[in-house]
Amino acid sequence: MRHEYFKTVGPALRVPEWRIVQMLRRQHEADRLEAELAGAIGLERARACVDGFAQLMALMRLHAWHPPLILPPGAVGVSDDERNLARFVLLSAEQDREAALVEAMAIVVPQAILPLVAAGERVGLPLLCEECRDRLDCPLTFQ
């Protein structure tokens, strides 16, 4: 068993990063995740996101160097593994390919690096839509 220390407070996470942490913590509730996401980003994007997440987790189960430390749903802090996975998904989605590949090398064995980056992109792109919608709804946005 691996023990890892995590901070109860730390740097703030972006909306998509926090959503990824929530998805990691409740990964066995795919229908519930899809329903919650559908309210924020629409049904089609939610389905694409949950499908990509299932693919990401399947790759992690088969090819990860070690199982990530995922805290229970009610936890206040965020583990380093959760934070790293959230950062990896956003790097994949935001087309920072080199950084995403470097992160993937630390997560999975070499033959799973490219499929993991592709799965991370499928998860992250719909979540970025939620962040964009939040920016548009901001009262400080001049339209």
Side-chain angles (χ1 to χ4, degrees):
M1 183 153 127
R2 196 178 113 208
H3 297 281
E4 182 177 331
Y5 297 99
F6 56 91
K7 298 177 186 175
T8 56
V9 294
L13 297 174
R14 289 172 50 191
V15 173
E17 290 175 314
W18 181 241
R19 183 70 78 172
I20 293 164
V21 170
Q22 291 174 334
M23 291 173 74
L24 287 168
R25 292 179 181 179
R26 297 181 9 222
Q27 59 187 288
H28 302 293
E29 304 171 7
D31 293 336
R32 188 170 172 195
L33 287 173
E34 187 177 310
E36 287 179 10
L37 283 172
I41 60 176
L43 185 59
E44 291 302 315
R45 284 190 178 109
R47 282 186 182 150
C49 183
V50 171
D51 288 345
F53 182 72
Q55 183 182 12
L56 180 90
M57 295 313 294
L59 286 166
M60 293 283 299
R61 278 190 292 279
L62 291 174
H63 301 291
W65 292 110
H66 64 84
L69 175 65
I70 307 296
L71 300 179
V76 176
V78 177
S79 73
D80 287 341
D81 288 342
E82 290 171 329
R83 189 181 314 277
N84 291 339
L85 284 170
R87 182 178 62 234
F88 163 74
V89 168
L90 284 189
L91 287 173
S92 299
E94 293 175 334
Q95 299 298 310
D96 194 351
R97 196 109 170 125
E98 292 80 21
L101 290 171
V102 170
E103 290 286 329
M105 284 192 283
I107 297 172
V108 295
V109 296
Q111 64 265 27
I113 290 173
L114 291 177
L116 190 75
V117 171
E121 186 177 340
R122 285 188 61 204
V123 174
L125 283 174
L127 298 178
L128 289 176
C129 291
E130 179 181 13
E131 186 178 48
C132 292
R133 287 180 183 185
D134 287 344
R135 286 184 191 152
L136 287 175
D137 292 337
C138 177
L140 299 176
T141 303
F142 300 103
Q143 297 179 11

